[in-house]
Amino acid sequence: MFIYLCTYLVECPTWLDGWIDGRSVNLGCLYFNKNLGEMSFDVVYDYCKTLKYEHLKNGYLVEIYNSTQQTFLKEKIHEIDPSKVWWTGLTERETEGIWKWNHTDNIATYFSWGPNQPDNHNGDEDCMMLFANTDFEWNDTHCAH
């Protein structure tokens, strides 16, 4: 399961299932899709870019820059489906240990890692998701999950 931030919306279509207005915390218009099956980071990343709603195009995986945004997302996930894990746009694919936001290429300065994370368990855990088992604190995982 995944969450992603959609850009270029003049208004957020909150009347449609899955759309949440996150502009109050500078997250833009968010689309939470809980109905698709499990997909890898790359598939979700590509899916976000193709999402279209009227004048919306080129969505991207959410980028979380502060605790206010993290809290907002956690609250919304608890309302929508707290049993899932949700992809974000944070990876360390370029350089091990340097976490960057995929869309903006910004190096992350805010983190909300869960207990003992990031752990790179079994090696090559280069993508971050909001993990249900730790109340949606961050967890590094294989991008192919």
Side-chain angles (χ1 to χ4, degrees):
M1 291 299 117
F2 56 91
I3 172 179
Y4 57 87
L5 169 62
C6 304
T7 59
Y8 309 116
L9 277 182
V10 174
E11 75 179 77
C12 190
T14 55
W15 59 90
L16 294 175
D17 188 39
W19 291 93
I20 302 287
D21 190 344
R23 293 177 293 181
S24 65
V25 294
N26 294 318
L27 286 174
C29 186
L30 300 162
Y31 180 66
F32 292 77
N33 190 326
K34 64 179 185 171
N35 299 317
L36 294 176
E38 189 172 314
M39 291 190 269
S40 72
F41 176 89
D42 292 322
V43 170
V44 172
Y45 176 80
D46 288 341
Y47 181 83
C48 290
K49 291 192 302 187
T50 64
L51 181 72
K52 295 199 177 5
Y53 173 77
E54 292 183 1
H55 48 281
L56 162 70
K57 62 179 179 176
N58 298 326
Y60 55 92
L61 288 165
V62 69
E63 298 184 356
I64 307 165
Y65 288 100
N66 58 55
S67 62
T68 302
Q69 293 174 337
Q70 174 71 14
T71 299
F72 179 87
L73 290 171
K74 285 172 63 168
E75 289 171 358
K76 296 305 174 190
I77 290 169
H78 277 288
E79 293 171 13
I80 294 167
D81 191 340
S83 68
K84 307 290 187 219
V85 295
W86 300 81
W87 284 116
T88 71
L90 189 65
T91 72
E92 62 169 357
R93 285 177 150 176
E94 284 183 29
T95 306
E96 189 70 28
I98 305 294
W99 290 90
K100 294 173 86 174
W101 293 108
N102 197 276
H103 176 71
T104 60
D105 208 35
N106 291 335
I107 294 174
T109 57
Y110 166 80
F111 299 96
S112 187
W113 294 113
N116 303 312
Q117 295 297 323
D119 64 356
N120 206 26
H121 183 68
N122 294 325
D124 202 31
E125 290 191 334
D126 293 334
C127 290
M128 187 274 280
M129 62 174 49
L130 302 174
F131 193 53
N133 291 352
T134 58
D135 195 29
F136 306 102
E137 295 301 316
W138 302 5
N139 183 71
D140 64 333
T141 190
H142 295 279
C143 300
H145 283 167

